[in-house]
């Protein structure tokens, strides 16, 4: 046997001998790979049970392995103290040279990401049950002073017996240390990162709620609410757009949209979300029709956790033909379970029978107007201005020209306080030939957006009692005209505040202006 053959034989024999960590954990097989490491199935030879071991990788651009290891050990040990049925238990943390290993409970179940990618959108009541259990795990963590920082479908495991487990507690927080990198990276999955984190603020318990809302949106819709073709576009969508639910209504929709409020201080609390999810979990009757490929079931088996979430959504689900617009009074009755589920709780509905942000009928909302071809306001000018206030009343038959935009320190009749691409269209998707969603549905989307912003701290508390708000949406003719190739293909909705007493305003009515 030559020296080369001998070396190859020795290498093969060495590879055939399982690696043993800390003298007790024998690595058996690789279960999966992710952004922060490799997961192995292993045997704890001391007590004879199988465990999962995550081998953490040093983040790209990190140049201090000692700092990384020290922080991982501290944070993961802290997370290991959590005691909740929905938390994956951490048994041990091992430092072996430059590598760090987390020894965890072995949960043989697919992730929520795998389930949705293989089975399609889940029934709303099942999504609510999953949300309840993940929320319980987050509440246990938050009560212990721990923020997860990376809540996503890939970290939520759904077992055959209905068990739900949230994993990776402490790991994201351990990695998110400015001493580890000079690149200014954000740790976490961009598509599930809360707006305040994108803006550079510290992660809060409310940030985990936002991420949970995005994960539940994915579970019930089958598409990611904010993921776009590039990271930059994804972050822009998180900061500026509002997703639209098509498969959920009532308390589940209110819970999801409440958790996705962009301002953390205005976001619903964990207790409010818990109550809504509990209500939704008991309402299996409004599950969507069976998708192509077979029936939904309450439990799933097999499959390995994926490392990628899959391609971003590229368009809309098919929309029903336009329906006749209901009366303004009907659209203003914001009740849980109605078509305005996104604002049933947020902009004027009830939380378990108790008012949260306003009465069941939002008296602050004025009739929604259309703009553009054959719209209520045929002449309008919304773009290209650095001003937010207009010196002309807003109403049917009125016009807004470039000359009407004035400094808000001047007397004015209305102030623009929020806008959004209709149905969450991003810059890249503005020219997608999406069919007109219908007057009623488009008005519901705009009123949800405007109502949430009006009843949040977007509007100054001292100003709100003296104001009313009004949504403005493109008419069907305007929607079609912009689809057919105008210089400005955007189809935006706009939110204005006006004096409640019919007088005039002076000064900003908002706490912040984008």
């Amino acid at each position: 046997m030559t020296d080369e053959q001998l070396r190859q034989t020795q290498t093969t024999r060495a590879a055939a001998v399982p690696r043993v960590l800390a003298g007790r954990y024998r690595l058996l097989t690789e279960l999966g790979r992710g952004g922060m490491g490799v997961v192995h199935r292993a045997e704890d030879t001391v007590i004879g049970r199988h465990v999962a071991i995550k081998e953490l990788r040093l983040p790209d651009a990190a140049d201090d392995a000692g700092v990384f290891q020290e922080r991982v050990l501290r944070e993961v040990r802290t997370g290991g103290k959590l005691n909740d049925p929905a938390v994956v238990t951490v048994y041990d943390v091992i430092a072996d040279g430059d590598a760090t290993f987390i020894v965890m409970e072995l949960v043989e179940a697919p992730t929520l990401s795998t389930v949705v990618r293989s089975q399609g959108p889940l029934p709303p009541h099942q999504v609510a049950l999953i949300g309840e259990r993940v929320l319980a795990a987050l509440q246990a963590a938050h009560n212990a002073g721990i923020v997860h920082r990376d809540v996503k479908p890939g970290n939520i495991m759904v077992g055959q017996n209905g068990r739900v487990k949230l994993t990776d507690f402490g790991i994201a927080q351990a990695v998110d240390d400015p001493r580890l990198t000079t690149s200014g990276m954000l740790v976490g999955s961009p598509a599930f990162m809360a707006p305040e984190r994108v803006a550079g603020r510290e992660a809060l318990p409310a940030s985990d709620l936002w991420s949970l809302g995005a994960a539940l949106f994915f579970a019930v819709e089958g598409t990611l609410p904010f993921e776009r073709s590039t990271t930059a576009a994804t972050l822009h969508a998180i900061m500026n757009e509002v997703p639209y639910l098509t498969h959920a209504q009532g308390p589940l929709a209110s819970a999801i949209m409440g958790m996705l409020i962009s301002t953390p201080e205005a976001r619903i609390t964990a207790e409010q979300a818990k109550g809504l999810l509990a209500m939704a979990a008991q309402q299996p009757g409004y599950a969507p029709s069976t998708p192509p490929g077979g029936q939904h079931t309450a439990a799933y088996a097999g499959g390995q956790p994926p490392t990628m979430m899959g391609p971003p959504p590229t368009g809309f689900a098919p929309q029903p033909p336009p329906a006749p617009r209901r009366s303004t009074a009907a659209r203003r009755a914001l009740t849980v379970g109605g078509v305005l589920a996104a604002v049933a709780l947020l902009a004027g509905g009830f939380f378990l029978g108790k008012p949260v942000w306003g009465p069941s009928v939002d008296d602050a909302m004025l009739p929604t107007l259309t703009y553009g071809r054959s719209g209520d306001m045929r002449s309008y000018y919304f773009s290209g201005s650095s001003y937010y206030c207009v010196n002309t009343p807003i109403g049917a038959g009125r016009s807004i020209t470039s000359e009407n935009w004035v400094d808000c320190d001047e007397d004015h009749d209305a102030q623009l306080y929020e806008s959004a691409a209709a149905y969450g269209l991003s810059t890249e998707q503005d020219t997608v030939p999406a069919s007109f969603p219908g007057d009623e549905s488009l008005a519901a989307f705009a009123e949800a957006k405007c109502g949430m912003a009006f009843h949040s701290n977007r509007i100054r508390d001292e100003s709100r009692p003296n104001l009313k708000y009004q949504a403005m949406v493109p008419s069907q003719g305007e929607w079609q005209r912009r689809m057919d190739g105008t210089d400005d293909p955007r189809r935006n909705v706009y939110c204005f505040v006006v004096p409640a007493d019919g007088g005039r305003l002076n000064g900003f009515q908002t706490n912040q202006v984008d």
Side-chain angles (χ1 to χ4, degrees):
M1 182 179 291
T2 65
D3 290 343
E4 179 60 28
Q5 289 174 326
L6 179 61
R7 280 194 297 271
Q8 290 179 353
T9 300
Q10 290 172 337
T11 300
T12 300
R13 287 175 178 173
V17 177
R19 183 180 180 184
V20 178
L21 299 174
R24 66 181 290 182
Y25 301 109
R26 181 183 296 115
L27 302 186
L28 300 177
T29 58
E30 183 179 307
L31 293 177
R33 291 175 176 262
M36 288 191 288
V38 182
V39 181
H40 304 269
R41 176 193 289 269
E43 180 186 6
D44 182 346
T45 59
V46 173
I47 62 177
R49 70 179 170 190
H50 280 199
V51 295
I53 296 183
K54 172 166 280 193
E55 179 181 356
L56 293 184
R57 297 171 176 171
L58 192 66
D60 293 339
D63 55 8
D64 192 335
V67 170
F68 172 69
Q69 196 170 81
E70 165 201 336
R71 186 168 173 86
V72 166
L73 292 173
R74 182 176 68 250
E75 298 294 350
V76 176
R77 281 171 178 156
T78 300
K81 297 176 182 177
L82 296 176
N83 182 22
D84 185 89
V87 175
V88 172
T89 305
V90 175
Y91 298 135
D92 202 356
V93 185
I94 301 167
D96 187 349
D98 291 338
T100 303
F101 298 86
I102 314 299
V103 183
M104 302 177 291
E105 171 188 4
L106 178 63
V107 181
E108 299 190 87
T111 66
L112 180 60
S113 177
T114 298
V115 171
V116 175
R117 292 299 183 197
S118 62
Q119 302 290 334
L122 305 184
H125 71 281
Q126 185 185 346
V127 173
L129 283 169
I130 293 171
E132 271 193 286
R133 288 161 188 173
V134 175
L135 183 60
L138 289 176
Q139 285 184 287
H142 297 163
N143 291 338
I146 299 170
V147 179
H148 190 287
R149 300 189 183 208
D150 198 19
V151 177
K152 61 182 180 181
N155 279 337
I156 299 170
M157 309 186 81
V158 183
Q160 284 187 329
N161 56 1
R163 288 192 312 158
V164 175
K165 292 279 189 177
L166 180 61
T167 189
D168 275 6
F169 269 101
I171 295 177
Q173 181 163 333
V175 177
D176 195 5
D177 188 329
R179 294 177 294 174
L180 296 177
T181 177
T182 57
S183 67
M185 70 175 184
L186 285 169
V187 174
S189 305
F192 298 94
M193 190 173 293
E196 61 271 16
R197 296 205 61 211
V198 174
R201 292 177 59 181
E202 180 63 32
L204 306 165
S207 307
D208 282 347
L209 291 183
W210 194 94
S211 300
L212 175 58
L216 297 183
F217 184 104
F218 168 76
V220 79
E221 294 291 319
T223 58
L224 298 174
F226 299 102
E227 187 171 74
R228 304 293 184 259
S229 57
T230 66
T231 299
T234 296
L235 299 180
H236 178 273
I238 288 171
M239 296 297 291
N240 297 284
E241 298 175 13
V242 176
Y244 187 76
L245 288 164
T246 60
H247 290 71
Q249 58 184 357
L252 177 60
S254 294
I256 292 174
M257 296 306 294
M259 288 188 278
L260 289 178
I261 292 177
S262 58
T263 304
E265 293 81 8
R267 209 165 289 155
I268 62 173
T269 66
E271 283 299 318
Q272 291 169 340
K274 178 180 177 181
L276 286 166
L277 291 172
M279 292 171 62
Q282 299 174 14
Q283 296 184 355
Y286 68 87
S289 58
T290 303
Q295 278 194 327
H296 292 302
T297 57
Y300 300 86
Q304 296 296 338
T307 57
M308 296 294 291
M309 292 303 298
T314 56
F316 295 116
Q319 298 291 341
R325 294 191 71 178
R326 292 178 298 175
S327 66
T328 299
R331 286 188 287 116
R332 288 169 60 185
L334 311 181
T335 56
V336 172
V339 69
L340 300 188
V343 287
L345 164 72
L346 305 175
F350 291 100
F351 172 67
L352 297 181
K354 299 178 181 179
V356 178
W357 273 284
S360 58
V361 175
D362 194 356
D363 292 327
M365 187 172 73
L366 294 174
T368 295
L369 298 173
T370 58
Y371 68 84
R373 181 182 296 173
S374 301
D376 297 320
M377 298 184 64
R378 298 189 182 185
S379 178
Y380 64 92
Y381 180 86
F382 293 143
S383 61
S385 173
S386 59
Y387 296 107
Y388 294 88
C389 297
V390 293
N391 62 359
T392 184
I394 293 177
R398 296 278 186 173
S399 297
I400 298 177
T401 70
S402 59
E403 302 300 320
N404 293 125
W405 292 93
V406 298
D407 192 296
C408 292
D409 288 337
E410 301 178 23
D411 287 344
H412 54 273
D413 296 278
Q415 180 180 334
L416 177 68
Y417 69 95
E418 190 66 275
S419 64
Y423 284 80
L425 288 173
S426 70
T427 302
E428 287 79 6
Q429 293 174 303
D430 279 339
T431 56
V432 172
S435 61
F436 182 63
D439 290 326
E440 190 69 27
S441 186
L442 186 56
F445 170 83
E447 290 162 2
K449 175 71 175 177
C450 297
M452 284 189 289
F454 182 82
H455 290 283
S456 75
N457 66 354
R458 179 72 167 170
I459 302 297
R460 293 176 177 172
D461 289 339
E462 64 273 19
S463 300
R464 191 179 297 108
N466 302 316
L467 298 172
K468 290 184 179 291
Y469 70 91
Q470 190 159 33
M472 197 174 296
V473 303
S475 64
Q476 183 171 1
E478 183 66 14
W479 185 283
Q480 186 63 47
R481 184 180 75 84
R482 288 170 179 261
M483 274 178 53
D484 293 341
T486 69
D487 292 335
D488 182 7
R490 290 173 298 175
R491 300 179 285 278
N492 288 353
V493 302
Y494 298 93
C495 308
F496 287 87
V497 288
V498 300
D501 60 5
R504 307 198 79 194
L505 301 172
N506 189 284
F508 280 109
Q509 310 303 310
T510 58
N511 285 314
Q512 53 187 0
V513 177
D514 294 333

